[in-house]
Amino acid sequence: MTKRILSGMRPTGKLHIGHHVGALESWVNLQKEYNNFHLIADYHVLTTNTDTSDIYKNTIEMVKDWVAAGIDPAQSPIFRQSQIKEHAELHLLFSMLITTARLERNPSLKEQVRDLKLDNISYGHFGYPVLQAADILLYKGELVPVGEDQTSHVEITREIARKFNKTYGKIFIEPKAKLTKFSRLPGLDGKTKMSKSLGNTISPSDSPEEIWQSVRKAITDTEKIRKNDPGHPEVCTIFTYHNVFNKDSVKQIERDCKSGILGCVDCKKICAKKISNHFAEYRNKRSEFNKKPDLIKDILNDGEKRAKQVAQETMKEVREVMKIG
Ligand code: TRP
């Protein structure tokens, strides 16, 4: 039987190019070989932001991005966590199978507390990985495509599956993390991560001119001051982008930067063009959605129906082995 994959993202609005190369493009490729489920983690948004006013709007924008990038909703259902009550139910049952000490050791939580400068967190935020475990195990996902920062959540999912199987009966598979290749694309400011909150992103739906304006301002090798100074591609953000978007000529770029033949402005022009070419098809497809306002709603309705069926079957099994059916 074809393996089932469960992919998920929080709906935080339009995606930037880091999301595309970091996650979305690998989801699209995985569709060819596996049976994929695409989850919109709208409940997870509430863990760090209880303001719900943008969640729906952000969900619609994100689904447009997914489909324009090549996710085929006919093949792989796209659905919101909040529309399938079984997520909440399984989350509650799983919350009894993990200790608070274990959740306190979760490195992702520690990182978030530090980055967001939180001095206290909600009960729901503390249980973030427990809800994620319910997301994955409801659909019996065997593989979970994630970046490095999410592997600790998959590990907790495995532990919960093991504990459940031992306590009540073996119905869950322990899923494996499938690491995506480019987990982190650096931001335009040279910071390690491209992120909307840092304001260092490029949007793939920007016009070629807008992409050029963003790339033009990027920080490059600070020791290459004049055009013909020899450069150090290994420290340059733009070179990292060439590596992803201009694979065929990256060796040439490296040589010409090092020797000083290629100046930063020209190098950035090539880079901006490659980025905008890479997303040309996506841009066309995405602009089509604005003419069809109901299309995304229909995609969600259909995906939610199909996902719900699987979720209900799993919950039936859960209740049976727990003898609370
Ligand atoms: N925690 C994931 C993130 O922030 C989103 C997510 C929620 C998820 N549930 C999931 C990812 C289930 C994979 C599987 O990116």
Side-chain angles (χ1 to χ4, degrees), residues 40-51:
I40 298 158
D42 51 356
Y43 276 158
H44 273 112
V45 174
L46 303 175
T47 59
T48 48
N49 184 4
T50 49
D51 179 359

Side-chain angles (χ1 to χ4, degrees), residues 92-109:
L92 176 105
L93 297 173
F94 282 172
S95 71
M96 315 297 170
L97 299 176
I98 186 153
T99 63
T100 53
R102 175 65 183 93
L103 291 173
E104 268 162 12
R105 282 203 310 274
N106 169 20
S108 293
L109 184 74

Side-chain angles (χ1 to χ4, degrees), residues 47 109 112-113 118-127:
T47 59
L109 184 74
Q112 227 175 23
V113 166
L118 305 171
D119 43 29
N120 213 336
I121 62 163
S122 71
Y123 172 59
H125 189 179
F126 191 57

Side-chain angles (χ1 to χ4, degrees), residues 120-311:
N120 213 336
I121 62 163
S122 71
Y123 172 59
H125 189 179
F126 191 57
Y128 189 113
V130 186
L131 182 56
Q132 187 158 341
D135 297 340
I136 299 167
L137 298 177
L138 255 186
Y139 303 94
K140 306 213 171 149
E142 288 183 62
L143 292 176
V144 188
V146 285
E148 205 81 61
D149 58 327
Q150 293 287 317
T151 50
S152 54
H153 292 160
V154 179
E155 191 47 46
I156 291 177
T157 304
R158 292 168 61 83
E159 288 171 28
I160 291 178
R162 210 173 305 148
K163 180 80 189 225
F164 184 98
N165 288 346
K166 214 170 117 216
T167 313
Y168 300 113
K170 192 171 177 340
I171 63 170
F172 290 118
I173 307 161
E174 287 180 35
K176 289 196 182 76
K178 191 166 176 56
L179 278 185
T180 45
K181 217 162 63 195
F182 302 106
S183 310
R184 284 202 171 165
L185 201 62
L188 285 164
D189 53 359
K191 295 238 167 66
T192 49
K193 197 176 174 183
M194 191 173 268
S195 139
K196 204 158 66 178
S197 56
L198 297 173
N200 60 8
T201 60
I202 299 175
S203 164
S205 46
D206 282 352
S207 66
E209 174 59 24
E210 285 168 318
I211 293 181
W212 161 239
Q213 289 305 332
S214 303
V215 169
R216 196 172 65 90
K217 285 181 253 153
I219 311 279
T220 54
D221 172 9
T222 48
E223 282 174 34
K224 187 169 162 71
I225 298 161
R226 273 172 300 268
K227 180 172 184 245
N228 299 109
D229 288 348
H232 307 86
E234 66 284 0
V235 300
C236 178
T237 309
I238 295 295
F239 186 69
T240 319
Y241 298 167
H242 276 292
N243 245 318
V244 177
F245 300 105
N246 187 16
K247 284 194 200 81
D248 293 345
S249 319
V250 71
K251 288 271 172 284
Q252 187 70 39
I253 298 276
E254 184 175 10
R255 271 196 299 272
D256 294 350
C257 169
K258 279 185 175 161
S259 72
I261 302 175
L262 181 65
C264 289
V265 176
D266 289 335
C267 177
K268 283 175 167 177
K269 277 190 183 149
I270 302 169
C271 180
K273 200 162 171 19
K274 289 288 173 185
I275 295 175
S276 85
N277 288 349
H278 185 92
F279 292 105
E281 197 187 329
Y282 157 88
R283 258 196 314 277
N284 285 339
K285 277 207 217 162
R286 202 181 193 288
S287 63
E288 283 293 301
F289 293 135
N290 297 331
K291 298 179 206 147
K292 302 179 197 156
D294 287 334
L295 184 67
I296 301 297
K297 281 187 201 156
D298 294 344
I299 288 174
L300 286 175
N301 273 336
D302 173 63
E304 282 158 12
K305 241 185 257 155
R306 287 152 68 199
K308 195 164 183 67
Q309 223 167 22
V310 179

